[in-house]
Amino acid sequence: ARKTLQFYALNAGIQSPYKVILDGNFLVAAIRQKVPLYERLGKTLQKTDFTFYVTRSALDELASLPGDLFQQARQFGLNECEIIERFAIPGKKKKENNKGDDKDDTEEGEGESSSSSLGEPGDDIRHLVTEGNNRRGYLIGTQDEALSGVLRGLPYVP
């Protein structure tokens, strides 16, 4: 882990304090497996400072799902994570077209097929890290295979 962190620090400027975005799938898996996230990520990140983040859309998705496990994951997100609101996500601002319908303001050149299969939380994370080659230095925690596949193709997204 030390060498990987050094690589991202030298090549992408990603340094402590780290900003770790967690999606709903990751939160549910951590709650289900009773993983102590702060302790485990603290070791992985070489005992440096870090902050958990979660998107509002991921919290909304967890709230819409029935079951105690999803509610516990949502509560962890509310209590332990900084929340990234929709208006703070670049390229996701709503605009009105001529018919008065809301449409996402997507950047040209991005494949619509990949974003539509991710769902709103995955799409929000993708928008956050594609802005300027992840210039904000986010690390991503996900269990979503579709999102992982999209993120693997992007530079400087650990």
Side-chain angles (χ1 to χ4, degrees):
R2 182 177 45 85
K3 288 185 178 186
T4 302
L5 291 174
Q6 286 176 341
F7 170 82
Y8 283 109
L10 291 172
N11 293 300
I14 298 174
Q15 303 179 30
S16 180
Y18 295 105
K19 295 174 254 178
V20 183
I21 298 178
L22 306 177
D23 74 347
N25 293 327
F26 189 88
L27 289 172
V28 169
I31 298 295
R32 179 180 290 133
Q33 301 300 321
K34 297 181 173 106
V35 175
L37 286 178
Y38 278 104
E39 179 182 315
R40 188 72 54 91
L41 273 164
K43 287 180 183 177
T44 302
L45 297 175
Q46 306 294 300
K47 297 186 167 100
T48 58
D49 293 333
F50 62 92
T51 304
F52 288 138
Y53 290 86
V54 66
T55 61
R56 175 62 64 189
S57 57
L59 292 174
D60 292 347
E61 182 181 60
L62 289 170
S64 70
L65 297 170
D68 189 45
L69 192 63
F70 298 110
Q71 298 315 311
Q72 288 176 18
R74 181 176 185 273
Q75 198 59 48
F76 181 90
L78 290 170
N79 294 343
E80 306 295 332
C81 302
E82 297 287 327
I83 299 170
I84 302 172
E85 298 293 345
R86 286 179 178 88
F87 62 83
I89 298 172
K92 288 292 289 182
K93 295 179 179 87
K94 299 282 186 183
K95 67 177 184 179
E96 291 190 22
N97 64 13
N98 294 339
K99 297 179 184 173
D101 297 326
D102 285 343
K103 275 193 141 177
D104 283 344
D105 181 20
T106 57
E107 296 174 16
E108 292 197 22
E110 292 178 346
E112 300 251 346
S113 61
S114 65
S115 65
S116 63
S117 66
L118 296 177
E120 190 177 4
D123 196 37
D124 288 351
I125 291 172
R126 183 183 57 83
H127 276 286
L128 284 165
V129 298
T130 55
E131 181 210 8
N133 283 335
N134 195 18
R135 68 178 171 89
R136 294 184 189 178
Y138 290 118
L139 284 73
I140 310 299
T142 184
Q143 294 289 311
D144 186 340
E145 290 297 322
L147 179 59
S148 294
V150 169
L151 296 178
R152 273 188 214 106
L154 300 174
Y156 307 126
V157 182

